[in-house]
Amino acid sequence: MGCLGNLIWFLCGGFLGGISWCLAGCLWCITIVGIPVGMQCFKFSSLSFFPFGKEVRYGGGAGSLILNLFWIVLSGLPLAIEHTVFGVILCVTIIGIPFGKQHFKLAKLALMPFGSEVY
């Protein structure tokens, strides 16, 4: 199911989410200070391209909390809104529910990317 789900996901909208994460990463990498944030965006763009069969574990400490607060204000909120809207639209149909759940997973990740790991 993971391979087929990822293929359908990529062709039917996962490409747009991944491009959004890549664009955020490019914008962050313009400055020297933002390069670690941009690298995190690039790591999560691969998850956004192919999310099925992958799990996100959240953790981190005080440094992650501070980075997450800056992230939410500067870039995280638009990405979270994008994924939430796509998730709600996809959950209207029964067939779209697994894809909507992946968008909700990515929306949560868009709010708290630092301190989280993809498995």
Side-chain angles (χ1 to χ4, degrees):
M1 173 62 187
C3 184
L4 181 62
N6 280 328
L7 179 65
I8 294 170
W9 170 268
F10 185 78
L11 294 175
C12 296
F15 179 74
L16 294 174
I19 291 297
S20 297
W21 280 96
C22 285
L23 180 63
C26 289
L27 291 175
W28 275 99
C29 284
I30 289 174
T31 65
I32 300 293
V33 176
I35 289 176
V37 178
M39 297 306 291
Q40 190 80 347
C41 289
F42 293 134
K43 181 170 70 171
F44 291 135
S45 72
S46 67
L47 174 69
S48 186
F49 281 132
F50 303 108
F52 286 93
K54 295 179 183 171
E55 178 183 326
V56 179
R57 293 191 185 150
Y58 297 95
S64 296
L65 175 67
I66 293 169
L67 272 174
N68 280 331
L69 290 176
F70 281 117
W71 168 259
I72 288 172
V73 172
L74 298 174
S75 297
L77 205 53
L79 286 170
I81 291 171
E82 172 191 357
H83 285 296
T84 303
V85 167
F86 285 144
V88 168
I89 290 170
L90 286 169
C91 284
V92 170
T93 65
I94 292 175
I95 296 171
I97 290 175
F99 299 103
K101 287 175 65 175
Q102 296 302 320
H103 271 296
F104 294 139
K105 176 171 74 173
L106 291 167
K108 182 178 177 184
L109 182 67
L111 292 175
M112 300 180 295
F114 299 102
S116 57
E117 297 178 22
V118 178
Y119 292 99

